[in-house]
Short mmCIF file of all heavy atoms in Angstrom, two decimals:
data_model
loop_
_atom_site.label_atom_id
_atom_site.label_comp_id
_atom_site.label_asym_id
_atom_site.label_seq_id
_atom_site.Cartn_x
_atom_site.Cartn_y
_atom_site.Cartn_z
N ASN A 1 -3.77 -37.37 28.51
CA ASN A 1 -5.01 -38.25 28.81
C ASN A 1 -6.07 -37.46 29.47
O ASN A 1 -6.57 -37.85 30.56
CB ASN A 1 -4.52 -39.41 29.73
CG ASN A 1 -3.70 -40.59 28.99
OD1 ASN A 1 -4.09 -40.83 27.81
ND2 ASN A 1 -2.76 -41.07 29.56
N PHE A 2 -6.45 -36.26 28.90
CA PHE A 2 -7.60 -35.52 29.29
C PHE A 2 -8.83 -36.39 29.16
O PHE A 2 -9.84 -36.05 29.81
CB PHE A 2 -7.70 -34.23 28.59
CG PHE A 2 -6.69 -33.19 28.92
CD1 PHE A 2 -6.19 -32.24 28.02
CD2 PHE A 2 -6.08 -33.12 30.22
CE1 PHE A 2 -5.15 -31.31 28.32
CE2 PHE A 2 -5.13 -32.20 30.68
CZ PHE A 2 -4.77 -31.37 29.56
N SER A 3 -8.82 -37.37 28.38
CA SER A 3 -9.91 -38.32 28.13
C SER A 3 -9.31 -39.70 28.33
O SER A 3 -8.11 -39.98 27.95
CB SER A 3 -10.58 -38.23 26.79
OG SER A 3 -11.26 -37.05 26.58
N PRO A 4 -10.07 -40.59 28.98
CA PRO A 4 -9.47 -41.96 29.16
C PRO A 4 -8.99 -42.69 27.88
O PRO A 4 -9.68 -42.44 26.79
CB PRO A 4 -10.66 -42.64 29.78
CG PRO A 4 -11.53 -41.72 30.43
CD PRO A 4 -11.45 -40.46 29.53
N LYS A 5 -8.06 -43.46 27.84
CA LYS A 5 -7.45 -44.04 26.61
C LYS A 5 -8.56 -44.84 25.79
O LYS A 5 -8.70 -44.68 24.64
CB LYS A 5 -6.29 -44.88 26.93
CG LYS A 5 -5.18 -44.20 27.32
CD LYS A 5 -3.96 -45.14 27.65
CE LYS A 5 -2.64 -44.34 28.02
NZ LYS A 5 -1.40 -45.22 28.13
N GLU A 6 -9.32 -45.50 26.61
CA GLU A 6 -10.35 -46.39 25.87
C GLU A 6 -11.38 -45.52 25.16
O GLU A 6 -11.86 -45.92 24.11
CB GLU A 6 -11.06 -47.28 26.98
CG GLU A 6 -10.26 -48.39 27.69
CD GLU A 6 -9.22 -47.65 28.73
OE1 GLU A 6 -9.43 -46.70 29.15
OE2 GLU A 6 -8.23 -48.48 29.04
N LYS A 7 -11.73 -44.40 25.79
CA LYS A 7 -12.71 -43.52 25.24
C LYS A 7 -12.07 -42.89 24.00
O LYS A 7 -12.73 -42.78 22.89
CB LYS A 7 -13.14 -42.43 26.24
CG LYS A 7 -14.23 -41.53 25.64
CD LYS A 7 -15.57 -42.24 25.30
CE LYS A 7 -16.55 -41.26 24.94
NZ LYS A 7 -17.81 -41.90 24.54
N GLN A 8 -10.79 -42.47 24.11
CA GLN A 8 -10.18 -41.83 22.85
C GLN A 8 -10.13 -42.82 21.79
O GLN A 8 -10.55 -42.33 20.63
CB GLN A 8 -8.85 -41.56 23.21
CG GLN A 8 -8.54 -40.40 24.13
CD GLN A 8 -7.05 -40.07 24.25
OE1 GLN A 8 -6.33 -39.88 23.35
NE2 GLN A 8 -6.61 -39.82 25.59
N ILE A 9 -9.91 -44.16 21.98
CA ILE A 9 -9.84 -45.07 20.90
C ILE A 9 -11.13 -45.33 20.24
O ILE A 9 -11.43 -45.34 19.19
CB ILE A 9 -9.22 -46.36 21.42
CG1 ILE A 9 -7.88 -46.23 21.94
CG2 ILE A 9 -9.54 -47.60 20.53
CD1 ILE A 9 -7.19 -47.40 22.60
N GLU A 10 -12.22 -45.27 21.21
CA GLU A 10 -13.63 -45.52 20.65
C GLU A 10 -14.09 -44.42 19.77
O GLU A 10 -14.55 -44.56 18.69
CB GLU A 10 -14.54 -45.56 21.93
CG GLU A 10 -16.06 -45.73 21.56
CD GLU A 10 -16.98 -45.49 22.76
OE1 GLU A 10 -16.49 -45.55 23.86
OE2 GLU A 10 -18.12 -45.18 22.49
N VAL A 11 -13.85 -43.25 20.22
CA VAL A 11 -14.31 -42.01 19.46
C VAL A 11 -13.37 -41.82 18.19
O VAL A 11 -13.91 -41.42 17.14
CB VAL A 11 -14.09 -40.70 20.36
CG1 VAL A 11 -14.23 -39.52 19.53
CG2 VAL A 11 -15.12 -40.75 21.42
N PHE A 12 -12.06 -42.15 18.24
CA PHE A 12 -11.36 -42.15 17.12
C PHE A 12 -11.84 -43.14 15.99
O PHE A 12 -12.00 -42.75 14.73
CB PHE A 12 -9.84 -42.50 17.42
CG PHE A 12 -8.87 -42.43 16.35
CD1 PHE A 12 -8.93 -41.49 15.33
CD2 PHE A 12 -7.78 -43.38 16.30
CE1 PHE A 12 -8.04 -41.53 14.25
CE2 PHE A 12 -6.90 -43.40 15.25
CZ PHE A 12 -6.96 -42.50 14.29
N LYS A 13 -12.10 -44.42 16.42
CA LYS A 13 -12.63 -45.37 15.44
C LYS A 13 -13.97 -44.79 14.86
O LYS A 13 -14.29 -45.05 13.73
CB LYS A 13 -12.79 -46.60 16.11
CG LYS A 13 -11.43 -47.36 16.42
CD LYS A 13 -11.76 -48.78 17.05
CE LYS A 13 -10.39 -49.39 17.34
NZ LYS A 13 -10.54 -50.80 17.96
N GLN A 14 -14.85 -44.24 15.75
CA GLN A 14 -16.29 -43.73 15.30
C GLN A 14 -15.88 -42.69 14.10
O GLN A 14 -16.61 -42.70 13.19
CB GLN A 14 -16.90 -43.13 16.35
CG GLN A 14 -17.54 -44.15 17.38
CD GLN A 14 -18.08 -43.51 18.54
OE1 GLN A 14 -17.67 -42.41 19.06
NE2 GLN A 14 -18.99 -44.28 19.20
N GLN A 15 -14.87 -41.84 14.27
CA GLN A 15 -14.71 -40.78 13.33
C GLN A 15 -13.99 -41.40 12.03
O GLN A 15 -14.38 -40.92 10.94
CB GLN A 15 -13.74 -39.64 13.83
CG GLN A 15 -14.62 -38.91 14.96
CD GLN A 15 -13.67 -37.89 15.59
OE1 GLN A 15 -13.63 -36.72 15.23
NE2 GLN A 15 -12.97 -38.23 16.72
N LEU A 16 -13.19 -42.38 12.26
CA LEU A 16 -12.67 -43.07 11.00
C LEU A 16 -13.78 -43.83 10.21
O LEU A 16 -13.74 -43.71 8.93
CB LEU A 16 -11.68 -44.10 11.42
CG LEU A 16 -10.31 -43.53 11.95
CD1 LEU A 16 -9.51 -44.70 12.50
CD2 LEU A 16 -9.53 -42.65 10.95
N GLU A 17 -14.72 -44.24 10.90
CA GLU A 17 -15.98 -44.98 10.17
C GLU A 17 -16.75 -43.83 9.46
O GLU A 17 -17.23 -44.20 8.41
CB GLU A 17 -16.75 -45.63 11.28
CG GLU A 17 -16.00 -46.93 11.79
CD GLU A 17 -16.67 -47.55 13.00
OE1 GLU A 17 -17.73 -46.98 13.36
OE2 GLU A 17 -16.07 -48.51 13.54
N LEU A 18 -16.86 -42.74 10.03
CA LEU A 18 -17.59 -41.62 9.44
C LEU A 18 -16.89 -41.24 8.18
O LEU A 18 -17.45 -40.91 7.07
CB LEU A 18 -17.72 -40.52 10.43
CG LEU A 18 -18.35 -39.13 9.92
CD1 LEU A 18 -19.66 -39.42 9.19
CD2 LEU A 18 -18.36 -38.07 10.87
N ALA A 19 -15.52 -41.12 8.29
CA ALA A 19 -14.69 -40.69 7.11
C ALA A 19 -14.81 -41.66 5.99
O ALA A 19 -14.91 -41.27 4.83
CB ALA A 19 -13.25 -40.36 7.55
N VAL A 20 -14.81 -42.87 6.31
CA VAL A 20 -15.00 -43.96 5.33
C VAL A 20 -16.39 -43.75 4.60
O VAL A 20 -16.62 -43.84 3.54
CB VAL A 20 -14.91 -45.35 5.91
CG1 VAL A 20 -15.30 -46.38 4.94
CG2 VAL A 20 -13.48 -45.59 6.31
N LYS A 21 -17.49 -43.44 5.53
CA LYS A 21 -18.88 -43.33 4.93
C LYS A 21 -18.97 -42.21 4.07
O LYS A 21 -19.55 -42.33 3.01
CB LYS A 21 -19.84 -43.13 6.08
CG LYS A 21 -21.23 -43.13 5.56
CD LYS A 21 -22.18 -43.06 6.88
CE LYS A 21 -22.27 -41.65 7.34
NZ LYS A 21 -23.38 -41.59 8.37
N VAL A 22 -18.38 -41.04 4.50
CA VAL A 22 -18.63 -39.72 3.57
C VAL A 22 -17.44 -39.66 2.56
O VAL A 22 -17.45 -38.66 1.77
CB VAL A 22 -18.70 -38.54 4.51
CG1 VAL A 22 -19.84 -38.60 5.28
CG2 VAL A 22 -17.45 -38.26 5.31
N GLN A 23 -16.39 -40.43 2.62
CA GLN A 23 -15.23 -40.43 1.78
C GLN A 23 -14.57 -39.07 1.70
O GLN A 23 -14.28 -38.48 0.55
CB GLN A 23 -15.62 -40.95 0.37
CG GLN A 23 -15.73 -42.39 0.15
CD GLN A 23 -14.38 -43.07 0.51
OE1 GLN A 23 -13.50 -42.98 -0.38
NE2 GLN A 23 -14.21 -43.72 1.65
N LYS A 24 -14.36 -38.46 2.84
CA LYS A 24 -13.56 -37.33 3.08
C LYS A 24 -12.33 -37.67 3.87
O LYS A 24 -12.30 -38.63 4.72
CB LYS A 24 -14.35 -36.20 3.75
CG LYS A 24 -15.55 -35.75 2.89
CD LYS A 24 -16.11 -34.46 3.43
CE LYS A 24 -17.18 -33.95 2.54
NZ LYS A 24 -17.83 -32.78 3.04
N PRO A 25 -11.19 -36.92 3.57
CA PRO A 25 -10.01 -37.37 4.23
C PRO A 25 -10.07 -37.14 5.76
O PRO A 25 -10.94 -36.38 6.21
CB PRO A 25 -8.87 -36.51 3.61
CG PRO A 25 -9.72 -35.33 3.07
CD PRO A 25 -11.04 -35.95 2.67
N VAL A 26 -8.96 -37.55 6.41
CA VAL A 26 -8.87 -37.51 7.82
C VAL A 26 -7.73 -36.61 8.32
O VAL A 26 -6.64 -36.76 7.76
CB VAL A 26 -8.68 -38.89 8.63
CG1 VAL A 26 -8.81 -38.71 10.06
CG2 VAL A 26 -9.80 -39.79 8.12
N PHE A 27 -8.09 -35.68 9.29
CA PHE A 27 -7.10 -34.68 9.79
C PHE A 27 -6.77 -35.22 11.12
O PHE A 27 -7.42 -35.23 12.05
CB PHE A 27 -7.73 -33.30 9.80
CG PHE A 27 -6.85 -32.21 10.03
CD1 PHE A 27 -5.86 -31.75 9.15
CD2 PHE A 27 -6.78 -31.47 11.40
CE1 PHE A 27 -5.05 -30.64 9.38
CE2 PHE A 27 -5.95 -30.50 11.65
CZ PHE A 27 -4.90 -29.98 10.58
N LEU A 28 -5.49 -35.87 11.21
CA LEU A 28 -5.08 -36.60 12.37
C LEU A 28 -4.20 -35.81 13.44
O LEU A 28 -3.28 -35.06 13.13
CB LEU A 28 -4.25 -37.84 12.00
CG LEU A 28 -5.02 -38.74 11.01
CD1 LEU A 28 -3.99 -39.78 10.33
CD2 LEU A 28 -6.07 -39.68 11.89
N HIS A 29 -4.47 -36.20 14.69
CA HIS A 29 -3.60 -35.81 15.81
C HIS A 29 -3.06 -36.94 16.47
O HIS A 29 -3.76 -38.05 16.56
CB HIS A 29 -4.51 -34.94 16.81
CG HIS A 29 -3.85 -34.74 18.05
ND1 HIS A 29 -3.29 -33.40 18.33
CD2 HIS A 29 -3.60 -35.40 19.24
CE1 HIS A 29 -2.68 -33.38 19.59
NE2 HIS A 29 -2.88 -34.63 20.10
N GLU A 30 -1.87 -36.90 16.92
CA GLU A 30 -1.24 -37.99 17.70
C GLU A 30 -0.09 -37.53 18.45
O GLU A 30 0.81 -36.81 18.04
CB GLU A 30 -0.75 -39.03 16.62
CG GLU A 30 -0.07 -40.23 17.38
CD GLU A 30 1.47 -40.15 17.53
OE1 GLU A 30 2.10 -39.88 16.46
OE2 GLU A 30 2.05 -40.44 18.69
N ARG A 31 -0.16 -37.81 19.84
CA ARG A 31 0.94 -37.47 20.66
C ARG A 31 1.09 -38.63 21.70
O ARG A 31 0.22 -39.00 22.46
CB ARG A 31 0.66 -36.13 21.38
CG ARG A 31 1.82 -35.67 22.20
CD ARG A 31 1.63 -34.23 22.77
NE ARG A 31 2.74 -33.76 23.33
CZ ARG A 31 2.83 -32.72 24.15
NH1 ARG A 31 1.74 -31.90 24.33
NH2 ARG A 31 3.94 -32.30 24.72
N ASP A 32 2.36 -39.22 21.72
CA ASP A 32 2.76 -40.20 22.57
C ASP A 32 1.71 -41.41 22.47
O ASP A 32 1.46 -42.06 23.40
CB ASP A 32 2.80 -39.75 24.10
CG ASP A 32 3.80 -38.74 24.33
OD1 ASP A 32 4.71 -38.55 23.43
OD2 ASP A 32 3.74 -38.11 25.39
N ALA A 33 1.24 -41.69 21.33
CA ALA A 33 0.31 -42.83 21.01
C ALA A 33 0.54 -43.46 19.71
O ALA A 33 -0.36 -44.04 19.13
CB ALA A 33 -1.16 -42.16 21.23
N PHE A 34 1.80 -43.32 19.27
CA PHE A 34 2.12 -43.81 17.88
C PHE A 34 1.56 -45.31 17.70
O PHE A 34 1.05 -45.63 16.69
CB PHE A 34 3.56 -43.61 17.56
CG PHE A 34 3.92 -44.14 16.25
CD1 PHE A 34 3.64 -43.57 15.00
CD2 PHE A 34 4.46 -45.42 16.16
CE1 PHE A 34 3.84 -44.11 13.76
CE2 PHE A 34 4.69 -46.13 14.95
CZ PHE A 34 4.48 -45.36 13.66
N ASP A 35 2.13 -46.14 18.46
CA ASP A 35 1.91 -47.55 18.26
C ASP A 35 0.38 -47.93 18.16
O ASP A 35 0.01 -48.64 17.20
CB ASP A 35 2.52 -48.43 19.34
CG ASP A 35 4.10 -48.35 19.37
OD1 ASP A 35 4.64 -48.02 18.33
OD2 ASP A 35 4.70 -48.69 20.47
N THR A 36 -0.41 -47.43 19.11
CA THR A 36 -1.82 -47.71 19.04
C THR A 36 -2.38 -47.06 17.74
O THR A 36 -3.35 -47.68 17.21
CB THR A 36 -2.48 -47.14 20.30
OG1 THR A 36 -1.79 -47.70 21.48
CG2 THR A 36 -3.89 -47.51 20.31
N GLN A 37 -2.10 -45.79 17.54
CA GLN A 37 -2.70 -45.07 16.36
C GLN A 37 -2.27 -45.84 15.09
O GLN A 37 -3.11 -45.94 14.16
CB GLN A 37 -2.29 -43.53 16.39
CG GLN A 37 -3.00 -42.84 15.30
CD GLN A 37 -3.33 -41.46 15.75
OE1 GLN A 37 -3.89 -41.16 16.83
NE2 GLN A 37 -3.11 -40.41 14.86
N TYR A 38 -1.18 -46.22 15.04
CA TYR A 38 -0.58 -46.78 13.74
C TYR A 38 -1.44 -48.07 13.49
O TYR A 38 -1.89 -48.36 12.36
CB TYR A 38 0.95 -47.12 13.88
CG TYR A 38 1.50 -47.83 12.65
CD1 TYR A 38 1.82 -47.19 11.63
CD2 TYR A 38 1.68 -49.17 12.77
CE1 TYR A 38 2.39 -47.86 10.49
CE2 TYR A 38 2.23 -49.91 11.73
CZ TYR A 38 2.52 -49.29 10.56
OH TYR A 38 3.10 -49.86 9.46
N GLN A 39 -1.56 -48.91 14.44
CA GLN A 39 -2.25 -50.14 14.39
C GLN A 39 -3.67 -49.94 13.97
O GLN A 39 -4.33 -50.64 13.07
CB GLN A 39 -2.24 -50.95 15.62
CG GLN A 39 -0.81 -51.57 15.85
CD GLN A 39 -0.27 -52.37 14.73
OE1 GLN A 39 -1.01 -53.16 14.14
NE2 GLN A 39 1.07 -52.21 14.69
N ILE A 40 -4.36 -48.86 14.53
CA ILE A 40 -5.72 -48.64 14.20
C ILE A 40 -5.87 -48.19 12.74
O ILE A 40 -6.80 -48.53 11.86
CB ILE A 40 -6.36 -47.66 15.11
CG1 ILE A 40 -6.43 -48.12 16.54
CG2 ILE A 40 -7.70 -47.00 14.68
CD1 ILE A 40 -6.82 -47.14 17.53
N LEU A 41 -4.95 -47.28 12.37
CA LEU A 41 -5.01 -46.69 11.03
C LEU A 41 -4.75 -47.83 9.92
O LEU A 41 -5.34 -47.72 8.78
CB LEU A 41 -3.91 -45.63 10.83
CG LEU A 41 -4.17 -44.25 11.48
CD1 LEU A 41 -3.05 -43.35 11.46
CD2 LEU A 41 -5.49 -43.52 10.85
N LYS A 42 -3.96 -48.84 10.25
CA LYS A 42 -3.67 -49.89 9.30
C LYS A 42 -5.06 -50.55 8.78
O LYS A 42 -5.01 -50.85 7.71
CB LYS A 42 -2.62 -50.83 9.94
CG LYS A 42 -1.24 -50.59 9.87
CD LYS A 42 -0.37 -51.57 10.44
CE LYS A 42 -0.43 -53.00 9.75
NZ LYS A 42 0.52 -53.94 10.27
N ASP A 43 -5.88 -50.74 9.75
CA ASP A 43 -7.18 -51.30 9.48
C ASP A 43 -8.14 -50.53 8.60
O ASP A 43 -8.75 -51.06 7.78
CB ASP A 43 -7.82 -51.73 10.77
CG ASP A 43 -7.08 -52.81 11.57
OD1 ASP A 43 -6.36 -53.58 10.95
OD2 ASP A 43 -7.27 -52.76 12.84
N TYR A 44 -8.05 -49.17 8.87
CA TYR A 44 -8.92 -48.30 8.08
C TYR A 44 -8.34 -47.69 6.80
O TYR A 44 -9.30 -47.29 5.88
CB TYR A 44 -9.36 -47.20 9.17
CG TYR A 44 -10.36 -47.55 10.19
CD1 TYR A 44 -9.96 -48.02 11.38
CD2 TYR A 44 -11.77 -47.54 9.90
CE1 TYR A 44 -10.81 -48.47 12.41
CE2 TYR A 44 -12.71 -47.92 10.89
CZ TYR A 44 -12.13 -48.40 12.15
OH TYR A 44 -13.13 -48.69 13.15
#
């Protein structure tokens, strides 16, 4: 948690939205955050 969880989630979603816009794949990092990351990815 070098960055607050809420800020991590916000920035993650911003980058997913960018990836959708430019239609380039996403290079993902996840550590001890599987449940939250999985739920976000399901939407995008």
Side-chain angles (χ1 to χ4, degrees):
N1 284 321
F2 287 149
S3 293
K5 290 184 179 181
E6 296 75 15
K7 183 63 174 178
Q8 289 188 46
I9 292 170
E10 175 191 346
V11 169
F12 183 34
K13 288 182 177 179
Q14 288 172 333
Q15 292 178 90
L16 290 175
E17 289 165 6
L18 172 59
V20 170
K21 184 177 78 170
V22 299
Q23 279 299 287
K24 289 186 177 180
V26 183
F27 192 73
L28 296 169
H29 173 99
E30 180 264 310
R31 189 173 184 190
D32 293 350
F34 173 80
D35 290 340
T36 304
Q37 184 144 317
Y38 177 81
Q39 292 301 323
I40 293 172
L41 284 171
K42 278 180 66 177
D43 293 334
Y44 283 91

